[in-house]
Amino acid sequence: MTYCVGLRLNAGLIFMSDTRTNAGLDNISTFRKLHSWSKPGEAMITVMTAGNLATTQSVISLLDERTKAPSDRSPSILEQPSMFQVARLVGETLREVIAGQADEGQRADTAFNASMIIGGQIGDGQPRMFLIYPEGNFIEAADDTPFFQIGETKYGRPILVRAFDPDMSFADAIKLLMVSFDSTIKANLSVGLPLDFQVYRSDSLEAGDIHRVEKTDTYFETISDGWGDALKLAFDSLPAFEFDAS
Amino acid sequence: MTYCVGLRLNAGLIFMSDTRTNAGLDNISTFRKLHSWSKPGEAMITVMTAGNLATTQSVISLLDERTKAPSDRSPSILEQPSMFQVARLVGETLREVIAGQADEGQRADTAFNASMIIGGQIGDGQPRMFLIYPEGNFIEAADDTPFFQIGETKYGRPILVRAFDPDMSFADAIKLLMVSFDSTIKANLSVGLPLDFQVYRSDSLEAGDIHRVEKTDTYFETISDGWGDALKLAFDSLPAFEFDAS
């Protein structure tokens, strides 16, 4: 499993992913699931992946043109005229990779499925964010649902639903994501630290740094410990249930 | 889907279930999933069910001896010498019902599976709680994990993990369950009001009333509205993330 969240704020986009992959409980590894391309001043695109690792790595390699010699690469993902075309390209690439693995040769017990969140901005377009399905089709984040989750989405969803606000600052959004990831990590062994996150400021047209949150990250520890206490206080602040006299 | 939670407190047992069943999004109904038997002074047993409704209703009917004329019934579930034997009886009944439906005749696309939480107390035994799997085997709640969930368990789990305390009062436990159910109901259409809950006080050896929480329940409304605000305050109380100067 995996947990990735993309938020579309008024100030820009934020991406956060965990890094744990597993083929069974006894075979876990750390792999990057957050990938970013940019041409400063022209385009910035970030992709987060969940699902079969062979599928998602293959898609990223194809998008990155790793089939070519390094000097010949000019990733086609950066040549698209709009984020809609980027979503189509990623969706088609994903569908082709899955089809190629599913059609011939030895069958696997598990599916080759994967899903992706992509976001970014190209030229004078708006920052946009899409959720891409294994079938290659996709939906776009809109005002009613300005965030997407993929992977193990359920544990961390209630706090997103309750506390997300598109007007929130990047700092608050990172805090919110850390709470959501902490709830998920506490409940599901297949989601684990370290986390990667990236902030994209609208109209900057350059990729922000990809930050890594390690197990020893003091801010994450503070949030993780503090959230338990804060939840208990919140719980205590609610009125007590009273049994009927009947 | 369904959501049921059973808590084993030091003061006794609490059971809460929703009542929504669905066969597709366009076919939802309300059915009781919390069933209780008691012989005051001798035994009290409660069963909560999740999964295929035909399976769970059949199991309950068999346990209740509804195959017999009303005057001949003496539910065998109340004749067991211990809660362990009750768990075995319920598990075997569940397995037989599933096997009977799965073996012959027309096949269904969906599984006939179901799982159950049972809890209660018999004679001078301790109050005990079990989780019963579709295969008929079961596990018992212990000090390390003194609660069970079945059905749509993930959304409502983080608050249980953080705020549950076996020393808590019944009133606090009901508040906790309402928060957990509210988080689930807000996120998943297949779990819905009204809720049923029952409190069993250790060594009372009589079934507490089964209370129903309707859509218009003012306490549930207070919790549902108040929890959103309390979560936001809890969130605001955590320290802000600070970007590195680097």
Side-chain angles (χ1 to χ4, degrees):
Chain A
M1 254 322 192
T2 286
Y3 185 39
C4 302
V5 183
L7 304 180
R8 203 193 69 173
L9 304 171
N10 292 332
L13 306 173
I14 296 200
F15 307 88
M16 189 178 282
S17 79
D18 82 320
T19 54
R20 182 165 290 176
T21 67
N22 69 303
L25 278 170
D26 56 349
N27 187 357
I28 63 171
S29 313
T30 300
F31 281 94
R32 181 172 287 271
K33 302 171 189 177
L34 192 162
H35 306 268
S36 196
W37 293 263
S38 70
K39 243 190 222 180
E42 295 181 32
M44 178 277 175
I45 298 160
T46 292
V47 176
M48 292 189 294
T49 64
N52 184 287
L53 185 64
T55 296
T56 59
Q57 285 196 341
S58 185
V59 170
I60 296 298
S61 288
L62 288 168
L63 293 173
D64 209 26
E65 300 203 330
R66 291 181 202 164
T67 52
K68 298 183 186 173
S71 56
D72 294 338
R73 290 176 195 168
S74 166
S76 54
I77 193 171
L78 283 172
E79 307 295 328
Q80 305 299 315
S82 71
M83 281 304 296
F84 181 82
Q85 292 293 349
V86 171
R88 280 184 58 165
L89 173 68
V90 175
E92 278 167 26
T93 308
L94 176 60
R95 189 175 51 192
E96 282 164 17
V97 168
I98 293 175
Q101 287 173 328
D103 279 353
E104 293 174 15
Q106 188 167 334
R107 300 299 180 96
D109 286 338
T110 55
F112 299 114
N113 283 352
S115 52
M116 302 189 170
I117 293 170
I118 71 170
Q121 186 172 20
I122 292 179
D124 51 8
Q126 292 295 309
R128 297 171 75 178
M129 184 175 285
F130 298 86
L131 172 62
I132 303 197
Y133 296 106
E135 292 77 9
N137 57 352
F138 49 85
I139 58 176
E140 180 174 2
D143 291 344
D144 287 327
T145 303
F147 62 87
F148 284 132
Q149 304 169 282
I150 53 178
E152 183 55 74
T153 61
K154 295 185 180 183
Y155 302 105
R157 188 171 179 85
I159 184 64
L160 287 180
V161 170
R162 298 277 198 171
F164 177 80
D165 177 350
D167 286 327
M168 73 200 316
S169 67
F170 288 132
D172 276 350
I174 289 169
K175 183 166 80 168
L176 174 60
L177 288 174
M178 286 198 178
V179 170
S180 179
F181 272 75
D182 179 56
S183 295
T184 308
I185 288 167
K186 281 218 165 31
N188 192 309
L189 290 176
S190 73
V191 178
L193 292 164
L195 310 178
D196 289 328
F197 73 89
Q198 185 187 33
V199 172
Y200 174 72
R201 193 173 299 277
S202 291
D203 303 326
S204 68
L205 291 174
E206 62 181 7
D209 293 337
I210 297 178
H211 301 261
R212 178 150 285 200
V213 180
E214 300 282 356
K215 283 193 179 65
T216 54
D217 188 276
T218 50
Y219 183 68
F220 185 79
E221 270 181 25
T222 306
I223 294 295
S224 181
D225 296 344
W227 184 240
D229 297 337
L231 268 188
K232 276 184 205 152
L233 287 176
F235 181 70
D236 290 342
S237 76
L238 294 178
F241 178 77
E242 287 176 26
F243 288 94
D244 291 342
S246 63
Chain B
M1 255 321 193
T2 286
Y3 185 40
C4 302
V5 183
L7 304 180
R8 203 193 69 173
L9 304 172
N10 292 333
L13 307 172
I14 297 200
F15 307 88
M16 191 178 281
S17 80
D18 82 320
T19 55
R20 182 165 292 177
T21 66
N22 70 302
L25 278 169
D26 55 351
N27 188 358
I28 63 171
S29 311
T30 299
F31 280 93
R32 181 172 288 269
K33 302 169 189 176
L34 192 162
H35 307 267
S36 197
W37 292 263
S38 69
K39 245 191 219 177
E42 297 182 30
M44 178 278 176
I45 298 161
T46 293
V47 176
M48 292 189 292
T49 63
N52 184 288
L53 184 64
T55 297
T56 58
Q57 285 196 340
S58 186
V59 171
I60 296 299
S61 288
L62 289 168
L63 293 173
D64 209 26
E65 301 205 329
R66 292 182 199 163
T67 51
K68 298 184 187 173
S71 56
D72 295 338
R73 291 178 195 166
S74 167
S76 54
I77 192 170
L78 283 172
E79 307 296 328
Q80 305 299 316
S82 70
M83 283 303 297
F84 181 80
Q85 293 292 350
V86 171
R88 280 184 60 163
L89 173 69
V90 174
E92 277 168 25
T93 308
L94 175 60
R95 190 175 50 191
E96 282 164 19
V97 168
I98 293 174
Q101 289 172 327
D103 278 354
E104 295 174 15
Q106 187 167 331
R107 301 298 180 94
D109 287 338
T110 54
F112 299 112
N113 283 353
S115 52
M116 301 188 172
I117 293 171
I118 72 170
Q121 187 172 19
I122 292 179
D124 52 6
Q126 292 295 307
R128 296 172 75 179
M129 186 176 284
F130 298 86
L131 172 64
I132 304 200
Y133 296 106
E135 293 77 8
N137 57 353
F138 50 85
I139 57 176
E140 180 174 2
D143 290 345
D144 287 329
T145 302
F147 63 86
F148 285 133
Q149 305 168 282
I150 52 176
E152 183 54 71
T153 61
K154 295 186 180 183
Y155 301 107
R157 189 171 179 85
I159 183 63
L160 286 181
V161 171
R162 300 277 199 171
F164 178 79
D165 177 352
D167 286 326
M168 72 200 318
S169 67
F170 288 133
D172 276 350
I174 289 170
K175 182 165 83 170
L176 174 61
L177 288 174
M178 286 199 179
V179 171
S180 179
F181 272 76
D182 180 56
S183 295
T184 308
I185 288 169
K186 281 218 165 34
N188 192 308
L189 291 177
S190 75
V191 178
L193 292 167
L195 310 177
D196 288 328
F197 74 89
Q198 185 187 33
V199 171
Y200 174 71
R201 193 174 299 277
S202 290
D203 302 327
S204 68
L205 290 173
E206 62 181 7
D209 293 336
I210 297 179
H211 300 261
R212 178 149 284 198
V213 180
E214 300 282 357
K215 282 193 178 64
T216 53
D217 188 276
T218 50
Y219 182 69
F220 186 79
E221 268 181 26
T222 305
I223 294 296
S224 180
D225 295 344
W227 184 241
D229 297 337
L231 268 188
K232 276 183 203 151
L233 287 175
F235 180 71
D236 290 341
S237 76
L238 294 177
F241 178 77
E242 286 176 25
F243 288 95
D244 291 341
S246 62

